Amino acid sequence: MLSHLLIKNYALIDELELAPDRQLNIITGETGAGKSIMLGAIGLLLGNRADTRVLYNPEKKCVIEGSFGVSGYAIERIFEEEELDFSDTCIVRREISVSGKSRAFVNDTPVNLETLRRVSSQLMDIHSQHDSVLLGSNEYQLEIVDTYAQDDALLRQYRTDYQEYRVKKSVYDQLQSEAAAMRKEFDYNSFLYEELSKAQLQPDEQETLEQELTILENAEDIKARLQLAYEYLDNTEQSIIDFLKGVVSNLAYISKLSDQYEQLQQRAQSSLIELRDLADEISTEQDRVDIDDARAETIRERLNLLYQLQTKHQAKDVAALIALRDELGQKVSKVLNLDDSLAAAKADAENARAQLLVSAQALSAARLAVLQPIETEIGGLLHDLGMPNASLKIQAETGKPTPTGIDTISFLFSANKGIKPQQLKNVASGGEFSRLMMAIKYILASKRSLPTIIFDEIDTGVSGEIAIKMGNMMREMAHNHQLIAITHLHQIAGQGNAHYFVYKDHSADKTVSRIRKLTFDERVNEIAQMIGGKNPSASALKNAREILKQRTAATVK
């Protein structure tokens, strides 16, 4: 239930705090005093959109915060699924900055609006005049049936199966649509794939071949220069190695005379060894250089093929050609296995549809089972609410699977004897809508574990004895639910456990909306004004006092 409500800097509200009673709370006030503004603020906690125009002071942020006692309402699962901390007290907060940016929090954890709506929808239900319009829609009527049937588990399973079917069907449909184009391109892709496969492309082969061809094309020059380099180092007549031998010999001689020359001798000896090794390697490389025109021609042909393929496919290198070959191979393979893929995708879609129909039938059966009980209960309540000749018929039709099932639900209503029930939007007046909605909310209250229910002038179009009965129904509902009712009727106002009065305060430079809890005497005066006008008579005051005493007696009883 809502234990504390804080509204700061919203519309005409500077700051407002409310700690509602656990049972039936009545809110009254003149038209325009701010009752709908307060509901608008509560609507932000339910995830409604907002903008900076709601700021009372445009230089400060707006804060709406509700504290809810949720012990015993079995909603821990939602908190687990949304990865939110759960405790017996749930604090929902909405902030709107000066720039218009909106932030939402559940137990001080930032959440998006979708998560906020999911959580707060389990904490509060607001009935407004808009709901009376919604009542004429088949979608809303289906929601009523689902709530009464308590088929949440079946509905979740159906939606899971529906989504699975949509995914599998989409895969099959896409594969079908691609099949014709893929087959049309198959011959061309197959030709290109065969051409690239036949080329037996190897990574980095182009660079290796280009280097080898450069050597072959310059073999004579390379061989001659290697020979010249070798002769500079080592030949039979005169060479660098011969001179270096002399250096080593002289240094070896003087090293025997003094140790200080030994290091020079060692360095010279190392250089001699290195130069001999270098000369041997140059000689080996010279032997390896062959003048092979046939090999050079073979390499040129291979490189020409690589260059042609790169130009043809606009590829920058062999690696790009290999990637293209593999891609073409996948396309060709996909077409070769297309019939198998289509058959598998079709089987998956058909299996998913079969499972969907099983879930759909189970959900539909649960809905159909409660149609007669709903008709009977609502019919009895309408009789109690002064509509003895009213009748409600619920028509159900089945069709193709939709996100909500295979059922289309239509509420057909007649308020008068001998008149065939018709669509609600065509036959119900404002007062009839209010009584019908009251009956629906009454029967649904026992099916849902909502902590708080808010009625925004659900009594529109009714008065007298009917208003008394509606008040009694609210009082009875308040035994298991916290109710907040905005009303203009004294018959309903007198049934509340707590009574709050909304008014405009003009004492400052800017008008603000305020709310205060009325004492017993203030309640008597407020209800008397609702009965007899601004200056109530003694009889109106007496009547108001009697209404409150009767409520007290009924509560004690």
Side-chain angles (χ1 to χ4, degrees), residues 164-165 167-176 337-355:
E164 181 71 11
Y165 169 67
V167 170
K168 297 294 178 61
K169 183 70 163 55
S170 176
V171 170
Y172 177 59
D173 289 344
Q174 183 175 354
L175 194 56
Q176 272 193 313
N337 297 292
L338 190 58
D339 290 338
D340 292 340
S341 299
L342 279 169
K346 183 179 181 180
D348 287 345
E350 289 176 346
N351 290 335
R353 178 176 173 79
Q355 178 58 48

PDB file of all heavy atoms in Angstrom, residues 164-165 167-176 337-355:
ATOM      1  N   GLU A 164       8.723 -17.149 -30.110  1.00  0.00           N
ATOM      2  CA  GLU A 164       9.551 -18.203 -30.704  1.00  0.00           C
ATOM      3  C   GLU A 164       9.063 -18.543 -32.113  1.00  0.00           C
ATOM      4  O   GLU A 164       9.860 -18.709 -33.048  1.00  0.00           O
ATOM      5  CB  GLU A 164       9.505 -19.449 -29.812  1.00  0.00           C
ATOM      6  CG  GLU A 164      10.350 -20.615 -30.297  1.00  0.00           C
ATOM      7  CD  GLU A 164      11.839 -20.393 -30.177  1.00  0.00           C
ATOM      8  OE1 GLU A 164      12.241 -19.400 -29.525  1.00  0.00           O
ATOM      9  OE2 GLU A 164      12.603 -21.199 -30.729  1.00  0.00           O
ATOM     10  N   TYR A 165       7.740 -18.620 -32.263  1.00  0.00           N
ATOM     11  CA  TYR A 165       7.174 -18.911 -33.587  1.00  0.00           C
ATOM     12  C   TYR A 165       7.490 -17.785 -34.572  1.00  0.00           C
ATOM     13  O   TYR A 165       7.853 -18.042 -35.728  1.00  0.00           O
ATOM     14  CB  TYR A 165       5.665 -19.106 -33.480  1.00  0.00           C
ATOM     15  CG  TYR A 165       4.974 -19.136 -34.823  1.00  0.00           C
ATOM     16  CD1 TYR A 165       5.185 -20.181 -35.725  1.00  0.00           C
ATOM     17  CD2 TYR A 165       4.124 -18.090 -35.213  1.00  0.00           C
ATOM     18  CE1 TYR A 165       4.574 -20.197 -36.966  1.00  0.00           C
ATOM     19  CE2 TYR A 165       3.511 -18.104 -36.455  1.00  0.00           C
ATOM     20  CZ  TYR A 165       3.735 -19.149 -37.328  1.00  0.00           C
ATOM     21  OH  TYR A 165       3.131 -19.160 -38.560  1.00  0.00           O
ATOM     22  N   VAL A 167      10.013 -15.802 -34.601  1.00  0.00           N
ATOM     23  CA  VAL A 167      11.426 -15.867 -34.978  1.00  0.00           C
ATOM     24  C   VAL A 167      11.650 -16.987 -36.002  1.00  0.00           C
ATOM     25  O   VAL A 167      12.285 -16.777 -37.042  1.00  0.00           O
ATOM     26  CB  VAL A 167      12.300 -16.097 -33.729  1.00  0.00           C
ATOM     27  CG1 VAL A 167      13.744 -16.401 -34.142  1.00  0.00           C
ATOM     28  CG2 VAL A 167      12.268 -14.882 -32.818  1.00  0.00           C
ATOM     29  N   LYS A 168      11.110 -18.189 -35.710  1.00  0.00           N
ATOM     30  CA  LYS A 168      11.299 -19.327 -36.618  1.00  0.00           C
ATOM     31  C   LYS A 168      10.620 -19.068 -37.964  1.00  0.00           C
ATOM     32  O   LYS A 168      11.157 -19.414 -39.025  1.00  0.00           O
ATOM     33  CB  LYS A 168      10.732 -20.602 -35.982  1.00  0.00           C
ATOM     34  CG  LYS A 168      11.430 -21.022 -34.692  1.00  0.00           C
ATOM     35  CD  LYS A 168      12.864 -21.438 -34.976  1.00  0.00           C
ATOM     36  CE  LYS A 168      13.625 -21.812 -33.701  1.00  0.00           C
ATOM     37  NZ  LYS A 168      13.046 -22.931 -32.999  1.00  0.00           N
ATOM     38  N   LYS A 169       9.448 -18.476 -37.932  1.00  0.00           N
ATOM     39  CA  LYS A 169       8.723 -18.166 -39.175  1.00  0.00           C
ATOM     40  C   LYS A 169       9.481 -17.122 -39.985  1.00  0.00           C
ATOM     41  O   LYS A 169       9.566 -17.212 -41.222  1.00  0.00           O
ATOM     42  CB  LYS A 169       7.324 -17.646 -38.841  1.00  0.00           C
ATOM     43  CG  LYS A 169       6.436 -17.346 -40.047  1.00  0.00           C
ATOM     44  CD  LYS A 169       6.028 -18.619 -40.756  1.00  0.00           C
ATOM     45  CE  LYS A 169       4.828 -18.404 -41.680  1.00  0.00           C
ATOM     46  NZ  LYS A 169       5.009 -17.346 -42.667  1.00  0.00           N
ATOM     47  N   SER A 170      10.060 -16.153 -39.303  1.00  0.00           N
ATOM     48  CA  SER A 170      10.823 -15.114 -39.994  1.00  0.00           C
ATOM     49  C   SER A 170      12.054 -15.708 -40.685  1.00  0.00           C
ATOM     50  O   SER A 170      12.377 -15.332 -41.816  1.00  0.00           O
ATOM     51  CB  SER A 170      11.255 -14.035 -38.989  1.00  0.00           C
ATOM     52  OG  SER A 170      12.058 -13.072 -39.603  1.00  0.00           O
ATOM     53  N   VAL A 171      12.727 -16.646 -39.997  1.00  0.00           N
ATOM     54  CA  VAL A 171      13.897 -17.300 -40.599  1.00  0.00           C
ATOM     55  C   VAL A 171      13.492 -18.061 -41.862  1.00  0.00           C
ATOM     56  O   VAL A 171      14.160 -17.970 -42.900  1.00  0.00           O
ATOM     57  CB  VAL A 171      14.546 -18.267 -39.583  1.00  0.00           C
ATOM     58  CG1 VAL A 171      15.609 -19.132 -40.272  1.00  0.00           C
ATOM     59  CG2 VAL A 171      15.159 -17.487 -38.432  1.00  0.00           C
ATOM     60  N   TYR A 172      12.383 -18.795 -41.777  1.00  0.00           N
ATOM     61  CA  TYR A 172      11.910 -19.569 -42.940  1.00  0.00           C
ATOM     62  C   TYR A 172      11.492 -18.645 -44.078  1.00  0.00           C
ATOM     63  O   TYR A 172      11.858 -18.873 -45.238  1.00  0.00           O
ATOM     64  CB  TYR A 172      10.738 -20.455 -42.520  1.00  0.00           C
ATOM     65  CG  TYR A 172      10.126 -21.237 -43.668  1.00  0.00           C
ATOM     66  CD1 TYR A 172      10.890 -22.123 -44.416  1.00  0.00           C
ATOM     67  CD2 TYR A 172       8.780 -21.070 -44.007  1.00  0.00           C
ATOM     68  CE1 TYR A 172      10.339 -22.827 -45.479  1.00  0.00           C
ATOM     69  CE2 TYR A 172       8.219 -21.774 -45.061  1.00  0.00           C
ATOM     70  CZ  TYR A 172       8.997 -22.648 -45.798  1.00  0.00           C
ATOM     71  OH  TYR A 172       8.454 -23.342 -46.849  1.00  0.00           O
ATOM     72  N   ASP A 173      10.752 -17.597 -43.772  1.00  0.00           N
ATOM     73  CA  ASP A 173      10.296 -16.662 -44.806  1.00  0.00           C
ATOM     74  C   ASP A 173      11.477 -15.973 -45.482  1.00  0.00           C
ATOM     75  O   ASP A 173      11.490 -15.799 -46.708  1.00  0.00           O
ATOM     76  CB  ASP A 173       9.366 -15.606 -44.189  1.00  0.00           C
ATOM     77  CG  ASP A 173       8.026 -16.197 -43.785  1.00  0.00           C
ATOM     78  OD1 ASP A 173       7.704 -17.313 -44.237  1.00  0.00           O
ATOM     79  OD2 ASP A 173       7.305 -15.550 -42.999  1.00  0.00           O
ATOM     80  N   GLN A 174      12.465 -15.585 -44.693  1.00  0.00           N
ATOM     81  CA  GLN A 174      13.626 -14.905 -45.265  1.00  0.00           C
ATOM     82  C   GLN A 174      14.416 -15.858 -46.160  1.00  0.00           C
ATOM     83  O   GLN A 174      14.879 -15.472 -47.236  1.00  0.00           O
ATOM     84  CB  GLN A 174      14.518 -14.373 -44.144  1.00  0.00           C
ATOM     85  CG  GLN A 174      15.711 -13.578 -44.653  1.00  0.00           C
ATOM     86  CD  GLN A 174      16.512 -12.950 -43.531  1.00  0.00           C
ATOM     87  OE1 GLN A 174      16.131 -13.014 -42.377  1.00  0.00           O
ATOM     88  NE2 GLN A 174      17.634 -12.358 -43.864  1.00  0.00           N
ATOM     89  N   LEU A 175      14.546 -17.105 -45.719  1.00  0.00           N
ATOM     90  CA  LEU A 175      15.266 -18.087 -46.518  1.00  0.00           C
ATOM     91  C   LEU A 175      14.534 -18.351 -47.834  1.00  0.00           C
ATOM     92  O   LEU A 175      15.165 -18.488 -48.893  1.00  0.00           O
ATOM     93  CB  LEU A 175      15.412 -19.388 -45.722  1.00  0.00           C
ATOM     94  CG  LEU A 175      16.419 -20.424 -46.254  1.00  0.00           C
ATOM     95  CD1 LEU A 175      17.802 -19.802 -46.401  1.00  0.00           C
ATOM     96  CD2 LEU A 175      16.472 -21.629 -45.333  1.00  0.00           C
ATOM     97  N   GLN A 176      13.217 -18.385 -47.771  1.00  0.00           N
ATOM     98  CA  GLN A 176      12.427 -18.572 -48.991  1.00  0.00           C
ATOM     99  C   GLN A 176      12.620 -17.409 -49.959  1.00  0.00           C
ATOM    100  O   GLN A 176      12.778 -17.613 -51.172  1.00  0.00           O
ATOM    101  CB  GLN A 176      10.949 -18.711 -48.635  1.00  0.00           C
ATOM    102  CG  GLN A 176      10.502 -20.128 -48.321  1.00  0.00           C
ATOM    103  CD  GLN A 176       8.998 -20.233 -48.280  1.00  0.00           C
ATOM    104  OE1 GLN A 176       8.319 -19.419 -47.663  1.00  0.00           O
ATOM    105  NE2 GLN A 176       8.454 -21.228 -48.949  1.00  0.00           N
ATOM    106  N   ASN A 337      23.003 -26.783 -50.463  1.00  0.00           N
ATOM    107  CA  ASN A 337      22.276 -27.354 -49.321  1.00  0.00           C
ATOM    108  C   ASN A 337      20.967 -26.629 -49.050  1.00  0.00           C
ATOM    109  O   ASN A 337      20.394 -26.761 -47.958  1.00  0.00           O
ATOM    110  CB  ASN A 337      23.164 -27.295 -48.065  1.00  0.00           C
ATOM    111  CG  ASN A 337      24.418 -28.131 -48.223  1.00  0.00           C
ATOM    112  OD1 ASN A 337      24.366 -29.344 -48.293  1.00  0.00           O
ATOM    113  ND2 ASN A 337      25.561 -27.462 -48.297  1.00  0.00           N
ATOM    114  N   LEU A 338      20.522 -25.825 -50.042  1.00  0.00           N
ATOM    115  CA  LEU A 338      19.358 -24.972 -49.828  1.00  0.00           C
ATOM    116  C   LEU A 338      18.097 -25.766 -49.513  1.00  0.00           C
ATOM    117  O   LEU A 338      17.331 -25.420 -48.617  1.00  0.00           O
ATOM    118  CB  LEU A 338      19.125 -24.096 -51.066  1.00  0.00           C
ATOM    119  CG  LEU A 338      18.097 -22.984 -50.932  1.00  0.00           C
ATOM    120  CD1 LEU A 338      18.468 -22.052 -49.795  1.00  0.00           C
ATOM    121  CD2 LEU A 338      17.991 -22.188 -52.237  1.00  0.00           C
ATOM    122  N   ASP A 339      17.878 -26.826 -50.238  1.00  0.00           N
ATOM    123  CA  ASP A 339      16.665 -27.623 -50.011  1.00  0.00           C
ATOM    124  C   ASP A 339      16.642 -28.189 -48.594  1.00  0.00           C
ATOM    125  O   ASP A 339      15.599 -28.183 -47.922  1.00  0.00           O
ATOM    126  CB  ASP A 339      16.571 -28.756 -51.038  1.00  0.00           C
ATOM    127  CG  ASP A 339      16.281 -28.243 -52.443  1.00  0.00           C
ATOM    128  OD1 ASP A 339      15.755 -27.112 -52.544  1.00  0.00           O
ATOM    129  OD2 ASP A 339      16.593 -28.952 -53.415  1.00  0.00           O
ATOM    130  N   ASP A 340      17.806 -28.638 -48.142  1.00  0.00           N
ATOM    131  CA  ASP A 340      17.880 -29.158 -46.776  1.00  0.00           C
ATOM    132  C   ASP A 340      17.629 -28.051 -45.753  1.00  0.00           C
ATOM    133  O   ASP A 340      16.918 -28.251 -44.754  1.00  0.00           O
ATOM    134  CB  ASP A 340      19.251 -29.794 -46.515  1.00  0.00           C
ATOM    135  CG  ASP A 340      19.450 -31.074 -47.330  1.00  0.00           C
ATOM    136  OD1 ASP A 340      18.438 -31.653 -47.777  1.00  0.00           O
ATOM    137  OD2 ASP A 340      20.617 -31.477 -47.517  1.00  0.00           O
ATOM    138  N   SER A 341      18.215 -26.871 -46.011  1.00  0.00           N
ATOM    139  CA  SER A 341      18.030 -25.744 -45.092  1.00  0.00           C
ATOM    140  C   SER A 341      16.576 -25.300 -45.053  1.00  0.00           C
ATOM    141  O   SER A 341      16.024 -25.004 -43.989  1.00  0.00           O
ATOM    142  CB  SER A 341      18.922 -24.571 -45.508  1.00  0.00           C
ATOM    143  OG  SER A 341      20.286 -24.931 -45.465  1.00  0.00           O
ATOM    144  N   LEU A 342      15.957 -25.226 -46.244  1.00  0.00           N
ATOM    145  CA  LEU A 342      14.543 -24.842 -46.307  1.00  0.00           C
ATOM    146  C   LEU A 342      13.674 -25.850 -45.562  1.00  0.00           C
ATOM    147  O   LEU A 342      12.759 -25.461 -44.809  1.00  0.00           O
ATOM    148  CB  LEU A 342      14.085 -24.733 -47.765  1.00  0.00           C
ATOM    149  CG  LEU A 342      14.428 -23.439 -48.494  1.00  0.00           C
ATOM    150  CD1 LEU A 342      14.163 -23.579 -49.985  1.00  0.00           C
ATOM    151  CD2 LEU A 342      13.613 -22.274 -47.922  1.00  0.00           C
ATOM    152  N   ALA A 343      13.951 -27.106 -45.770  1.00  0.00           N
ATOM    153  CA  ALA A 343      13.162 -28.145 -45.101  1.00  0.00           C
ATOM    154  C   ALA A 343      13.322 -28.058 -43.588  1.00  0.00           C
ATOM    155  O   ALA A 343      12.343 -28.185 -42.832  1.00  0.00           O
ATOM    156  CB  ALA A 343      13.583 -29.526 -45.604  1.00  0.00           C
ATOM    157  N   ALA A 344      14.573 -27.819 -43.123  1.00  0.00           N
ATOM    158  CA  ALA A 344      14.816 -27.714 -41.681  1.00  0.00           C
ATOM    159  C   ALA A 344      14.136 -26.475 -41.104  1.00  0.00           C
ATOM    160  O   ALA A 344      13.523 -26.544 -40.032  1.00  0.00           O
ATOM    161  CB  ALA A 344      16.323 -27.667 -41.415  1.00  0.00           C
ATOM    162  N   ALA A 345      14.238 -25.334 -41.823  1.00  0.00           N
ATOM    163  CA  ALA A 345      13.611 -24.099 -41.342  1.00  0.00           C
ATOM    164  C   ALA A 345      12.090 -24.233 -41.315  1.00  0.00           C
ATOM    165  O   ALA A 345      11.425 -23.752 -40.395  1.00  0.00           O
ATOM    166  CB  ALA A 345      14.023 -22.926 -42.226  1.00  0.00           C
ATOM    167  N   LYS A 346      11.537 -24.891 -42.335  1.00  0.00           N
ATOM    168  CA  LYS A 346      10.094 -25.101 -42.375  1.00  0.00           C
ATOM    169  C   LYS A 346       9.643 -25.990 -41.224  1.00  0.00           C
ATOM    170  O   LYS A 346       8.621 -25.720 -40.574  1.00  0.00           O
ATOM    171  CB  LYS A 346       9.704 -25.731 -43.718  1.00  0.00           C
ATOM    172  CG  LYS A 346       8.194 -25.930 -43.885  1.00  0.00           C
ATOM    173  CD  LYS A 346       7.872 -26.534 -45.245  1.00  0.00           C
ATOM    174  CE  LYS A 346       6.364 -26.706 -45.411  1.00  0.00           C
ATOM    175  NZ  LYS A 346       6.026 -27.303 -46.728  1.00  0.00           N
ATOM    176  N   ALA A 347      10.407 -27.036 -40.954  1.00  0.00           N
ATOM    177  CA  ALA A 347      10.070 -27.943 -39.850  1.00  0.00           C
ATOM    178  C   ALA A 347      10.122 -27.204 -38.513  1.00  0.00           C
ATOM    179  O   ALA A 347       9.249 -27.390 -37.655  1.00  0.00           O
ATOM    180  CB  ALA A 347      11.021 -29.132 -39.844  1.00  0.00           C
ATOM    181  N   ASP A 348      11.152 -26.348 -38.345  1.00  0.00           N
ATOM    182  CA  ASP A 348      11.258 -25.567 -37.106  1.00  0.00           C
ATOM    183  C   ASP A 348      10.047 -24.652 -36.935  1.00  0.00           C
ATOM    184  O   ASP A 348       9.484 -24.537 -35.835  1.00  0.00           O
ATOM    185  CB  ASP A 348      12.541 -24.723 -37.121  1.00  0.00           C
ATOM    186  CG  ASP A 348      13.785 -25.569 -36.910  1.00  0.00           C
ATOM    187  OD1 ASP A 348      13.655 -26.724 -36.469  1.00  0.00           O
ATOM    188  OD2 ASP A 348      14.888 -25.064 -37.200  1.00  0.00           O
ATOM    189  N   ALA A 349       9.641 -23.987 -38.041  1.00  0.00           N
ATOM    190  CA  ALA A 349       8.490 -23.083 -37.976  1.00  0.00           C
ATOM    191  C   ALA A 349       7.206 -23.854 -37.677  1.00  0.00           C
ATOM    192  O   ALA A 349       6.365 -23.400 -36.880  1.00  0.00           O
ATOM    193  CB  ALA A 349       8.355 -22.306 -39.288  1.00  0.00           C
ATOM    194  N   GLU A 350       7.038 -25.001 -38.298  1.00  0.00           N
ATOM    195  CA  GLU A 350       5.826 -25.789 -38.066  1.00  0.00           C
ATOM    196  C   GLU A 350       5.779 -26.324 -36.640  1.00  0.00           C
ATOM    197  O   GLU A 350       4.711 -26.343 -36.010  1.00  0.00           O
ATOM    198  CB  GLU A 350       5.757 -26.936 -39.074  1.00  0.00           C
ATOM    199  CG  GLU A 350       5.453 -26.471 -40.500  1.00  0.00           C
ATOM    200  CD  GLU A 350       5.483 -27.614 -41.504  1.00  0.00           C
ATOM    201  OE1 GLU A 350       5.988 -28.699 -41.147  1.00  0.00           O
ATOM    202  OE2 GLU A 350       5.004 -27.413 -42.643  1.00  0.00           O
ATOM    203  N   ASN A 351       6.921 -26.751 -36.118  1.00  0.00           N
ATOM    204  CA  ASN A 351       6.969 -27.237 -34.735  1.00  0.00           C
ATOM    205  C   ASN A 351       6.657 -26.110 -33.755  1.00  0.00           C
ATOM    206  O   ASN A 351       5.944 -26.305 -32.764  1.00  0.00           O
ATOM    207  CB  ASN A 351       8.339 -27.835 -34.421  1.00  0.00           C
ATOM    208  CG  ASN A 351       8.585 -29.142 -35.160  1.00  0.00           C
ATOM    209  OD1 ASN A 351       7.636 -29.839 -35.534  1.00  0.00           O
ATOM    210  ND2 ASN A 351       9.843 -29.485 -35.377  1.00  0.00           N
ATOM    211  N   ALA A 352       7.213 -24.924 -34.047  1.00  0.00           N
ATOM    212  CA  ALA A 352       6.954 -23.767 -33.182  1.00  0.00           C
ATOM    213  C   ALA A 352       5.478 -23.377 -33.236  1.00  0.00           C
ATOM    214  O   ALA A 352       4.874 -23.003 -32.219  1.00  0.00           O
ATOM    215  CB  ALA A 352       7.829 -22.590 -33.596  1.00  0.00           C
ATOM    216  N   ARG A 353       4.881 -23.480 -34.431  1.00  0.00           N
ATOM    217  CA  ARG A 353       3.454 -23.154 -34.558  1.00  0.00           C
ATOM    218  C   ARG A 353       2.596 -24.176 -33.803  1.00  0.00           C
ATOM    219  O   ARG A 353       1.600 -23.813 -33.157  1.00  0.00           O
ATOM    220  CB  ARG A 353       3.048 -23.123 -36.029  1.00  0.00           C
ATOM    221  CG  ARG A 353       1.561 -22.835 -36.231  1.00  0.00           C
ATOM    222  CD  ARG A 353       1.198 -22.717 -37.702  1.00  0.00           C
ATOM    223  NE  ARG A 353      -0.237 -22.615 -37.878  1.00  0.00           N
ATOM    224  CZ  ARG A 353      -0.960 -21.515 -37.705  1.00  0.00           C
ATOM    225  NH1 ARG A 353      -0.341 -20.400 -37.330  1.00  0.00           N
ATOM    226  NH2 ARG A 353      -2.252 -21.500 -37.882  1.00  0.00           N
ATOM    227  N   ALA A 354       2.977 -25.430 -33.880  1.00  0.00           N
ATOM    228  CA  ALA A 354       2.231 -26.467 -33.167  1.00  0.00           C
ATOM    229  C   ALA A 354       2.261 -26.210 -31.658  1.00  0.00           C
ATOM    230  O   ALA A 354       1.237 -26.317 -30.964  1.00  0.00           O
ATOM    231  CB  ALA A 354       2.797 -27.847 -33.484  1.00  0.00           C
ATOM    232  N   GLN A 355       3.453 -25.852 -31.148  1.00  0.00           N
ATOM    233  CA  GLN A 355       3.567 -25.534 -29.725  1.00  0.00           C
ATOM    234  C   GLN A 355       2.769 -24.286 -29.387  1.00  0.00           C
ATOM    235  O   GLN A 355       2.121 -24.199 -28.323  1.00  0.00           O
ATOM    236  CB  GLN A 355       5.039 -25.324 -29.357  1.00  0.00           C
ATOM    237  CG  GLN A 355       5.281 -24.942 -27.901  1.00  0.00           C
ATOM    238  CD  GLN A 355       4.737 -25.959 -26.922  1.00  0.00           C
ATOM    239  OE1 GLN A 355       4.970 -27.152 -27.080  1.00  0.00           O
ATOM    240  NE2 GLN A 355       3.991 -25.509 -25.921  1.00  0.00           N
TER     241      GLN A 355
END
